[in-house]
Amino acid sequence: MYETDKIQNLLREGRVAEAIDTLKNAIASQPTDDHAHYLLGNAYCRLSDWRNAIASYHEAIELNPQSPAVEAEKKVKEILNFYCHDLYNP
């Protein structure tokens, strides 16, 4: 199992790959842990791995529609949909 504080410390220390491995192992043993899926999405966001972040958030949302992954997914989509109109229309 994982500890949320441990995962957050790993992410803070830049040990994202280790956090991802820890969360994947936790999900393998507890696939219905929506919070682990949410944290995994956050870890993927640290790597700008948007596809896996969104997939992890979707999984969390399917398990718990009230998950904080709902807002996190919206923010990722905003990032992906952003572009500066002035750059395209000088």
Side-chain angles (χ1 to χ4, degrees):
M1 196 61 190
Y2 71 98
E3 295 178 24
T4 301
D5 291 341
K6 178 183 176 185
I7 297 300
Q8 290 174 342
N9 285 335
L10 289 172
L11 293 174
R12 201 171 307 125
E13 294 168 2
R15 297 163 54 191
V16 180
E18 191 176 338
I20 289 172
D21 288 342
T22 302
L23 288 164
K24 283 183 176 181
N25 289 333
I27 289 168
S29 65
Q30 291 280 322
T32 59
D33 183 349
D34 65 285
H35 192 68
H37 288 281
Y38 166 68
L39 292 174
L40 183 59
N42 290 346
Y44 282 126
C45 280
R46 288 292 202 99
L47 298 176
S48 299
D49 184 345
W50 308 120
R51 180 189 310 191
N52 283 320
I54 288 174
S56 296
Y57 291 147
H58 274 290
E59 194 66 36
I61 294 165
E62 281 186 26
L63 294 167
N64 175 9
Q66 304 303 314
S67 170
V70 173
E71 288 302 314
E73 181 188 32
K74 285 179 188 176
K75 289 179 183 179
V76 169
K77 287 182 177 181
E78 286 175 9
I79 290 168
L80 294 175
N81 289 327
F82 175 78
Y83 69 95
C84 180
H85 294 280
D86 293 336
L87 293 175
Y88 292 104
N89 298 309

